[in-house]
Amino acid sequence: MSRIERIGIALGAVTLVTSSAIALAAWQWPQPVPEKPSPTPTTAARPATMQATTEPGRATYVDTLSPQAGAANLTKLPRELAGKSGYEHAIVVRCPTNQANDKVRSVNYLVRGRYLDFSATVHPYYEVEKDARTYVYALAGVKERDGTLTQRTRGTQFEATMTRAASLAAEVEGAEELTIQVRCEAPEGVVVLAAAQVTPAA
């Protein structure tokens, strides 16, 4: 074997040993563990409180509120209407006697700015004069800077009769009080406000 051949074999052996050593070191050296990607947020992962804020508030029936004033002007549904569908949450206001000192009957509720609007369907009921007309007003008591309350008419309903019910709606946002006033052409009747409700503020 020639000298050149011996040198070539020796170099090959050295290269093999070096490669093996590098491979062994690389195998033994700890490799970094790849981080798991963060899961993509979904709506199901949102806190329950966040979801709840998007749900609209439920309306509050006025018959579940305690009057601040004028409770004596409230009465029960007439016997002919009791138990009928649509009158489950009605408030019933007595008609005034139409004497000089009794032209209007009112019922007042303390709302303290908790509601946005008021709505009801007006159904007058008269025992004698069936065609008598009714007038209903919704007033908001707004607190002024000096602490006094100013009554402002926010909704009106004119000339409802027993055969022609009418809708009443009023904005009460920011109001301290809600007052419902009724006027009647005939004194021997009542004013039924069916489904009278206020919508809570967010």
XYZ file of all heavy atoms in Angstrom, residues 26-119:
723
model
N -25.068 16.542 19.480
C -26.336 17.153 19.077
C -27.523 16.372 19.592
O -28.548 16.929 19.961
C -26.386 17.256 17.555
N -27.399 15.051 19.627
C -28.506 14.217 20.122
C -28.704 14.398 21.616
O -29.799 14.398 22.122
C -28.185 12.757 19.790
C -29.226 11.806 20.316
C -30.449 11.593 19.833
C -29.082 10.944 21.472
N -31.111 10.649 20.570
C -30.289 10.227 21.592
C -28.039 10.700 22.370
C -30.487 9.290 22.597
C -28.243 9.768 23.362
C -29.472 9.080 23.492
N -27.561 14.564 22.358
C -27.646 14.694 23.807
C -28.029 16.115 24.243
O -28.540 16.312 25.329
C -26.300 14.309 24.444
C -25.993 12.821 24.325
C -24.652 12.453 24.963
O -23.799 13.326 25.145
N -24.483 11.191 25.297
N -27.791 17.127 23.404
C -28.072 18.520 23.788
C -29.585 18.765 23.840
O -30.291 18.449 22.918
C -27.431 19.468 22.772
C -27.430 20.897 23.257
C -28.325 21.832 22.975
C -26.478 21.494 24.126
N -28.013 23.015 23.585
C -26.857 22.828 24.317
C -25.317 21.019 24.758
C -26.140 23.711 25.125
C -24.604 21.903 25.545
C -25.023 23.235 25.735
N -30.130 19.313 24.932
C -31.602 19.505 25.032
C -32.102 20.507 24.012
O -31.522 21.558 23.826
C -31.800 20.020 26.464
C -30.479 20.636 26.840
C -29.418 19.806 26.131
N -33.195 20.140 23.347
C -33.818 21.000 22.349
C -34.965 21.795 22.980
O -35.676 21.280 23.843
C -34.363 20.158 21.176
C -33.293 19.359 20.467
C -32.298 20.268 19.783
O -32.684 21.257 19.179
N -31.020 19.940 19.884
N -35.142 23.056 22.584
C -36.274 23.835 23.141
C -37.608 23.259 22.703
O -37.769 22.841 21.567
C -36.057 25.241 22.555
C -35.260 25.004 21.317
C -34.372 23.823 21.602
N -38.554 23.221 23.662
C -39.895 22.698 23.373
C -40.711 23.811 22.739
O -40.823 24.905 23.291
C -40.586 22.207 24.658
C -41.981 21.702 24.345
C -39.744 21.138 25.319
N -41.274 23.599 21.557
C -42.065 24.669 20.910
C -43.297 25.005 21.726
O -43.952 24.130 22.279
C -42.435 24.053 19.556
C -42.349 22.584 19.765
C -41.241 22.368 20.760
N -43.594 26.307 21.844
C -44.772 26.744 22.600
C -46.043 26.416 21.835
O -46.103 26.546 20.619
C -44.720 28.256 22.849
C -43.565 28.656 23.737
C -43.579 30.141 24.021
O -44.492 30.811 23.490
O -42.720 30.615 24.757
N -47.057 26.034 22.593
C -48.348 25.758 21.968
C -49.020 27.082 21.629
O -49.002 28.009 22.426
C -49.251 24.960 22.917
C -48.728 23.571 23.205
C -49.695 22.834 24.108
C -49.202 21.420 24.390
N -50.128 20.695 25.280
N -49.613 27.182 20.463
C -50.299 28.437 20.106
C -51.499 28.677 21.003
O -52.188 27.745 21.409
C -50.731 28.200 18.661
C -50.798 26.717 18.514
C -49.727 26.169 19.409
N -51.698 29.943 21.362
C -52.842 30.284 22.214
C -54.132 30.029 21.461
O -54.232 30.316 20.272
C -52.787 31.774 22.611
O -51.601 32.027 23.332
N -55.125 29.473 22.140
C -56.397 29.211 21.453
C -57.048 30.506 21.015
O -56.979 31.520 21.689
C -57.248 28.506 22.529
C -56.647 28.929 23.825
C -55.173 29.097 23.559
N -57.718 30.479 19.892
C -58.423 31.651 19.377
C -59.640 31.930 20.237
O -60.437 31.030 20.495
C -58.880 31.403 17.931
O -57.725 31.096 17.155
C -59.588 32.636 17.379
N -59.785 33.170 20.766
C -60.946 33.465 21.620
C -62.253 33.234 20.867
O -62.372 33.543 19.698
C -60.765 34.950 21.965
C -59.334 35.252 21.668
C -58.926 34.329 20.572
N -63.238 32.719 21.567
C -64.570 32.518 20.998
C -65.574 33.199 21.897
O -65.288 33.548 23.039
C -64.905 31.012 20.890
O -64.900 30.458 22.214
C -63.877 30.289 20.027
N -66.783 33.348 21.409
C -67.818 33.987 22.220
C -68.146 33.164 23.453
O -68.545 33.694 24.475
C -69.099 34.173 21.385
O -69.472 32.917 20.818
C -68.857 35.155 20.261
N -67.959 31.841 23.367
C -68.273 31.001 24.521
C -67.310 31.250 25.659
O -67.601 30.963 26.806
C -68.223 29.523 24.117
N -66.108 31.773 25.351
C -65.105 31.993 26.382
C -65.295 33.315 27.094
O -64.592 33.611 28.042
C -63.706 31.952 25.755
N -66.256 34.167 26.679
C -66.464 35.445 27.315
C -67.075 35.263 28.691
O -67.861 34.359 28.920
C -67.402 36.316 26.467
C -66.813 36.722 25.131
C -67.810 37.532 24.351
N -67.291 37.886 23.036
C -68.004 38.484 22.111
N -69.277 38.786 22.344
N -67.474 38.788 20.944
N -66.729 36.146 29.626
C -67.340 36.039 30.951
C -68.848 36.213 30.862
O -69.361 36.933 30.020
C -66.686 37.218 31.719
C -65.473 37.579 30.942
C -65.762 37.219 29.512
N -69.539 35.583 31.805
C -71.004 35.659 31.805
C -71.485 37.085 31.980
O -72.509 37.482 31.448
C -71.572 34.778 32.923
N -70.741 37.911 32.763
C -71.161 39.280 32.983
C -71.146 40.081 31.693
O -71.970 40.951 31.473
C -70.245 39.951 34.015
O -68.878 39.785 33.591
C -70.421 39.323 35.380
N -70.199 39.798 30.802
C -70.140 40.512 29.537
C -71.335 40.161 28.668
O -71.918 41.008 28.016
C -68.833 40.178 28.811
C -68.633 40.957 27.516
S -67.098 40.543 26.691
C -65.914 41.089 27.899
N -71.714 38.901 28.659
C -72.859 38.489 27.865
C -74.139 39.098 28.417
O -75.022 39.487 27.679
C -72.961 36.969 27.843
C -71.804 36.292 27.122
C -71.885 34.782 27.206
O -72.683 34.241 27.969
N -71.075 34.108 26.442
N -74.225 39.208 29.745
C -75.451 39.702 30.359
C -75.708 41.159 30.007
O -76.841 41.587 29.923
C -75.387 39.538 31.876
N -74.627 41.937 29.808
C -74.835 43.354 29.529
C -75.474 43.602 28.180
O -75.994 44.679 27.928
C -73.496 44.100 29.589
O -72.598 43.514 28.629
C -72.880 44.018 30.970
N -75.460 42.602 27.295
C -76.054 42.787 25.976
C -77.535 42.408 25.945
O -78.203 42.630 24.949
C -75.317 41.948 24.927
O -75.437 40.560 25.255
C -73.840 42.310 24.887
N -78.029 41.833 27.027
C -79.419 41.413 27.054
C -80.311 42.601 27.402
O -80.051 43.343 28.346
C -79.624 40.303 28.091
C -78.853 39.031 27.757
C -79.043 37.968 28.819
O -79.781 38.247 29.790
O -78.458 36.892 28.676
N -81.377 42.804 26.645
C -82.256 43.936 26.941
C -82.988 43.737 28.267
O -83.314 42.622 28.657
C -83.242 43.921 25.759
C -83.223 42.513 25.270
C -81.822 42.014 25.496
N -83.200 44.865 28.974
C -83.912 44.786 30.242
C -85.377 44.469 30.036
O -85.981 44.853 29.039
N -85.946 43.759 30.987
C -87.367 43.430 30.911
C -88.207 44.586 31.425
O -87.813 45.301 32.336
C -87.653 42.178 31.743
C -87.020 40.905 31.187
C -87.430 39.718 32.031
N -86.898 38.474 31.503
C -87.094 37.278 32.056
N -87.834 37.181 33.154
N -86.577 36.195 31.518
N -89.370 44.748 30.829
C -90.269 45.816 31.260
C -90.817 45.497 32.649
O -90.995 44.339 33.028
C -91.406 45.980 30.263
N -91.079 46.549 33.418
C -91.654 46.416 34.754
C -93.100 46.865 34.701
O -93.408 47.979 34.248
C -90.885 47.283 35.767
O -89.520 46.850 35.814
C -91.508 47.176 37.156
N -94.020 46.020 35.140
C -95.429 46.389 35.150
C -95.690 47.372 36.295
O -95.236 47.180 37.430
C -96.308 45.159 35.304
C -96.351 44.302 34.058
C -95.715 43.062 34.005
C -97.021 44.741 32.912
C -95.744 42.291 32.852
C -97.059 43.972 31.760
C -96.421 42.742 31.741
O -96.447 41.993 30.601
N -96.423 48.412 35.984
C -96.668 49.466 36.960
C -97.476 48.946 38.145
O -97.340 49.453 39.258
C -97.371 50.666 36.284
C -97.685 51.764 37.288
C -96.479 51.227 35.169
N -98.310 47.938 37.930
C -99.111 47.429 39.048
C -98.261 46.742 40.114
O -98.763 46.415 41.187
C -100.218 46.495 38.553
C -99.678 45.180 38.016
O -98.520 45.146 37.565
O -100.423 44.174 38.026
N -96.964 46.513 39.829
C -96.057 45.938 40.832
C -95.335 47.023 41.630
O -94.605 46.705 42.570
C -95.016 45.025 40.170
O -94.165 45.810 39.310
C -95.681 43.934 39.352
N -95.528 48.291 41.259
C -94.919 49.411 41.965
C -95.902 49.978 42.981
O -97.114 49.958 42.771
C -94.503 50.513 40.983
C -93.568 50.109 39.840
C -93.309 51.307 38.920
C -92.258 49.548 40.367
N -95.373 50.515 44.069
C -96.234 51.123 45.089
C -96.393 52.607 44.799
O -95.395 53.322 44.636
C -95.613 50.939 46.481
O -95.515 49.569 46.802
N -97.633 53.093 44.722
C -97.834 54.522 44.465
C -97.261 55.365 45.591
O -97.370 55.019 46.772
C -99.351 54.657 44.385
C -99.864 53.273 44.144
C -98.900 52.357 44.819
N -96.645 56.479 45.209
C -96.143 57.418 46.205
C -97.277 58.314 46.698
O -97.298 58.742 47.850
C -95.032 58.278 45.598
C -94.464 59.316 46.559
C -93.333 60.104 45.940
O -92.258 60.207 46.494
N -93.574 60.677 44.771
N -98.221 58.568 45.804
C -99.395 59.377 46.149
C -100.543 58.974 45.228
O -100.322 58.478 44.131
C -99.093 60.866 46.004
N -101.758 59.181 45.704
C -102.934 58.893 44.888
C -103.399 57.452 44.912
O -104.228 57.067 44.068
N -102.919 56.655 45.856
C -103.345 55.250 45.917
C -104.852 55.124 46.113
O -105.467 54.158 45.643
C -102.600 54.525 47.042
N -105.467 56.108 46.761
C -106.920 56.067 46.992
C -107.694 56.209 45.691
O -108.889 55.881 45.642
C -107.323 57.163 47.973
N -107.035 56.700 44.643
C -107.712 56.846 43.348
C -107.672 55.561 42.518
O -108.258 55.520 41.433
C -107.061 57.979 42.546
C -107.280 59.333 43.192
O -108.307 59.571 43.821
N -106.308 60.225 43.058
N -106.997 54.543 43.011
C -106.955 53.259 42.327
C -108.086 52.368 42.811
O -108.518 52.457 43.967
C -105.612 52.564 42.573
C -104.367 53.245 41.989
C -103.109 52.515 42.443
C -104.440 53.292 40.468
N -108.560 51.511 41.935
C -109.621 50.571 42.297
C -109.433 49.263 41.534
O -108.460 49.115 40.782
C -111.006 51.181 42.003
O -112.018 50.309 42.513
C -111.208 51.389 40.511
N -110.339 48.331 41.710
C -110.248 47.035 41.032
C -110.883 47.113 39.645
O -111.643 48.043 39.345
C -110.950 45.957 41.857
C -110.315 45.696 43.213
C -111.064 44.599 43.952
C -110.439 44.314 45.305
N -111.174 43.241 46.042
N -110.576 46.121 38.831
C -111.206 46.025 37.518
C -112.716 45.847 37.674
O -113.175 45.162 38.594
C -110.658 44.824 36.754
C -109.379 45.002 35.926
C -108.903 43.645 35.430
C -109.613 45.938 34.745
N -113.486 46.432 36.786
C -114.926 46.147 36.791
C -115.174 44.650 36.639
O -114.384 43.939 36.003
C -115.445 46.922 35.575
C -114.447 48.004 35.362
C -113.128 47.426 35.763
N -116.235 44.171 37.219
C -116.528 42.736 37.211
C -116.583 42.176 35.788
O -116.154 41.053 35.540
C -117.862 42.488 37.917
C -118.213 41.017 38.083
C -119.568 40.875 38.765
N -119.601 41.610 40.020
C -120.711 41.764 40.745
N -121.863 41.269 40.311
N -120.665 42.428 41.886
N -117.091 42.973 34.854
C -117.215 42.499 33.468
C -115.857 42.283 32.790
O -115.753 41.559 31.807
C -118.046 43.490 32.642
C -119.519 43.539 33.021
C -119.755 44.373 34.269
O -118.768 44.902 34.832
O -120.925 44.497 34.691
N -114.816 42.932 33.298
C -113.484 42.808 32.693
C -112.558 41.868 33.463
O -111.544 41.424 32.918
C -112.819 44.194 32.604
C -113.561 45.260 31.798
C -112.790 46.563 31.821
C -113.780 44.796 30.368
N -112.885 41.582 34.700
C -112.015 40.746 35.531
C -111.849 39.359 34.911
O -112.827 38.722 34.513
C -112.590 40.625 36.935
N -110.622 38.940 34.800
C -110.327 37.610 34.263
C -110.184 37.553 32.762
O -109.795 36.519 32.214
N -110.477 38.654 32.068
C -110.350 38.650 30.617
C -108.895 38.803 30.198
O -108.105 39.474 30.874
C -111.186 39.781 30.000
C -112.682 39.519 30.001
C -113.414 40.568 29.166
C -114.903 40.247 29.066
N -115.621 41.246 28.220
N -108.549 38.208 29.064
C -107.187 38.289 28.551
C -106.834 39.731 28.200
O -107.649 40.467 27.646
C -107.046 37.407 27.307
O -105.758 37.520 26.755
N -105.622 40.121 28.544
C -105.160 41.468 28.254
C -105.250 42.421 29.417
O -104.729 43.537 29.357
N -105.919 41.997 30.501
C -106.088 42.866 31.661
C -105.319 42.361 32.885
O -105.592 42.795 34.006
C -107.570 42.995 32.012
C -108.378 43.712 30.959
C -109.034 43.000 29.957
C -108.493 45.099 30.959
C -109.776 43.651 28.986
C -109.244 45.757 29.991
C -109.879 45.026 29.004
O -110.610 45.678 28.038
N -104.360 41.460 32.682
C -103.663 40.847 33.817
C -102.854 41.861 34.634
O -102.722 41.729 35.838
C -102.724 39.729 33.331
C -103.446 38.515 32.733
C -103.789 38.712 31.271
O -103.448 39.778 30.716
O -104.398 37.804 30.679
N -102.267 42.856 33.984
C -101.426 43.830 34.689
C -101.967 45.246 34.510
O -101.202 46.195 34.311
C -99.989 43.751 34.177
C -99.302 42.478 34.550
N -98.792 42.255 35.816
C -99.055 41.350 33.834
C -98.247 41.049 35.859
N -98.392 40.476 34.678
N -103.267 45.378 34.607
C -103.884 46.693 34.432
C -103.870 47.470 35.743
O -103.924 46.899 36.832
C -105.315 46.531 33.942
N -103.780 48.787 35.614
C -104.059 49.654 36.757
C -105.349 50.397 36.415
O -105.596 50.760 35.269
C -102.900 50.626 37.060
C -102.616 51.536 35.864
C -101.655 49.874 37.461
C -101.594 52.626 36.172
N -106.190 50.587 37.426
C -107.533 51.137 37.210
C -107.667 52.391 38.063
O -107.545 52.340 39.294
C -108.619 50.107 37.590
C -109.997 50.646 37.229
C -108.360 48.771 36.898
N -107.935 53.518 37.404
C -108.056 54.810 38.088
C -109.517 55.247 38.076
O -110.184 55.221 37.032
C -107.175 55.875 37.401
C -107.211 57.184 38.205
C -105.742 55.385 37.239
N -109.997 55.658 39.222
C -111.383 56.137 39.322
C -111.533 57.463 38.568
O -110.656 58.324 38.601
C -111.772 56.364 40.782
C -111.650 55.150 41.678
C -111.958 55.570 43.107
N -111.617 54.532 44.076
C -112.444 53.578 44.465
N -113.668 53.544 43.947
N -112.066 52.674 45.344
N -112.671 57.649 37.925
C -112.966 58.936 37.298
C -113.277 59.978 38.371
O -113.841 59.647 39.428
C -114.170 58.805 36.368
S -113.787 58.018 34.784
N -112.939 61.241 38.132
C -113.311 62.301 39.082
C -114.811 62.539 39.048
O -115.512 62.141 38.101
C -112.540 63.520 38.570
C -112.332 63.257 37.112
C -112.178 61.767 36.985
N -115.301 63.225 40.066
C -116.739 63.511 40.130
C -117.137 64.658 39.218
O -118.330 64.900 39.012
C -117.137 63.874 41.569
O -116.415 65.057 41.968
C -116.823 62.735 42.530
N -116.137 65.358 38.693
C -116.342 66.532 37.831
C -116.957 67.713 38.569
O -117.481 68.646 37.949
C -117.170 66.187 36.594
C -116.374 65.331 35.611
O -115.138 65.278 35.685
N -117.058 64.671 34.702
N -116.908 67.680 39.901
C -117.264 68.852 40.684
C -116.136 69.877 40.561
O -115.051 69.591 40.053
C -117.488 68.467 42.147
C -118.602 67.466 42.376
C -119.963 67.984 41.914
O -120.316 69.142 42.179
N -120.717 67.159 41.211
N -116.386 71.082 41.020
C -115.426 72.171 40.843
C -114.037 71.835 41.393
O -113.022 72.234 40.822
C -115.966 73.440 41.507
N -113.993 71.098 42.495
C -112.711 70.776 43.118
C -112.242 69.357 42.809
O -111.329 68.845 43.460
C -112.806 70.963 44.633
C -113.854 70.059 45.260
O -114.697 69.501 44.541
N -113.806 69.911 46.574
N -112.866 68.719 41.826
C -112.513 67.326 41.526
C -112.660 67.075 40.024
O -113.538 66.344 39.580
C -113.416 66.377 42.333
C -112.981 64.917 42.194
O -111.797 64.670 41.858
O -113.829 64.023 42.405
N -111.777 67.700 39.261
C -111.807 67.566 37.808
C -110.808 66.526 37.287
O -110.943 66.040 36.162
C -111.493 68.914 37.157
C -112.501 70.008 37.454
C -113.811 69.757 36.730
C -114.743 70.944 36.867
N -116.028 70.716 36.159
N -109.807 66.224 38.105
C -108.723 65.332 37.677
C -108.403 64.367 38.808
O -108.410 64.744 39.987
C -107.442 66.138 37.312
C -106.314 65.201 36.896
C -107.737 67.122 36.199
N -108.116 63.127 38.444
C -107.616 62.156 39.410
C -106.199 61.746 38.993
O -105.932 61.526 37.800
C -108.522 60.921 39.456
C -109.914 61.205 40.029
C -109.862 61.394 41.546
N -111.166 61.794 42.085
C -112.075 60.940 42.536
N -111.855 59.630 42.463
N -113.209 61.379 43.024
N -105.313 61.652 39.974
C -103.909 61.372 39.681
C -103.372 60.234 40.542
O -103.832 60.019 41.669
C -103.048 62.623 39.927
O -103.464 63.695 39.113
N -102.382 59.537 39.986
C -101.623 58.527 40.729
C -100.149 58.794 40.433
O -99.757 58.960 39.270
C -101.999 57.094 40.321
C -101.250 56.086 41.196
C -103.498 56.876 40.408
N -99.351 58.843 41.491
C -97.947 59.224 41.359
C -97.033 58.083 41.792
O -97.264 57.446 42.820
C -97.680 60.474 42.203
C -96.227 60.888 42.197
O -95.444 60.372 42.973
N -95.874 61.816 41.331
N -95.990 57.835 40.979
C -95.018 56.781 41.278
C -93.612 57.382 41.313
O -93.258 58.204 40.456
C -95.057 55.682 40.215
C -96.372 54.946 40.142
C -97.393 55.395 39.308
C -96.595 53.802 40.913
C -98.603 54.728 39.235
C -97.813 53.137 40.852
C -98.806 53.602 40.012
O -100.012 52.934 39.942
N -92.831 56.959 42.283
C -91.439 57.391 42.383
C -90.579 56.462 41.521
O -90.518 55.258 41.770
C -90.974 57.326 43.843
C -89.614 57.945 44.168
C -89.644 59.448 43.922
C -89.242 57.651 45.621
N -89.926 57.011 40.498
C -89.151 56.175 39.569
C -87.647 56.444 39.626
O -86.845 55.640 39.171
C -89.666 56.345 38.126
C -91.060 55.770 37.982
C -89.649 57.802 37.691
N -87.233 57.605 40.141
C -85.831 57.938 40.406
C -84.898 57.726 39.208
O -83.789 57.234 39.351
C -85.316 57.136 41.599
C -85.998 57.461 42.909
C -85.282 56.848 44.087
N -85.943 57.117 45.336
C -85.828 58.250 46.038
N -85.082 59.235 45.561
N -86.463 58.419 47.181
N -85.359 58.023 38.004
C -84.508 57.938 36.836
C -84.136 56.539 36.405
O -83.208 56.352 35.614
N -84.863 55.543 36.894
C -84.520 54.151 36.596
C -85.159 53.632 35.311
O -84.866 52.516 34.887
C -84.959 53.260 37.761
C -84.254 53.574 39.071
C -84.884 52.797 40.216
N -84.251 53.127 41.479
C -84.771 52.840 42.675
N -85.947 52.218 42.736
N -84.136 53.167 43.782
N -86.020 54.432 34.695
C -86.761 53.938 33.534
C -86.640 54.889 32.343
O -86.373 56.086 32.505
C -88.231 53.728 33.903
C -88.410 52.788 35.070
C -88.579 53.280 36.362
C -88.363 51.410 34.891
C -88.714 52.419 37.438
C -88.505 50.546 35.966
C -88.671 51.050 37.236
O -88.797 50.196 38.293
N -86.848 54.326 31.160
C -86.728 55.103 29.925
C -88.071 55.595 29.403
O -88.190 56.729 28.962
C -86.043 54.257 28.843
C -84.607 53.817 29.129
C -84.102 52.936 28.000
C -83.705 55.029 29.296
N -89.067 54.725 29.418
C -90.365 55.125 28.877
C -91.504 54.376 29.550
O -91.294 53.375 30.224
C -90.424 54.924 27.357
C -89.952 53.543 26.940
O -90.447 52.554 27.508
O -89.089 53.448 26.060
N -92.685 54.904 29.351
C -93.921 54.345 29.912
C -94.891 54.089 28.765
O -94.952 54.856 27.799
C -94.537 55.333 30.905
C -95.976 55.065 31.228
C -96.321 54.074 32.136
C -96.987 55.788 30.613
C -97.656 53.815 32.425
C -98.317 55.543 30.894
C -98.653 54.552 31.812
N -95.649 52.993 28.858
C -96.651 52.705 27.827
C -97.825 51.968 28.446
O -97.682 51.276 29.467
C -96.046 51.861 26.691
O -95.633 50.592 27.168
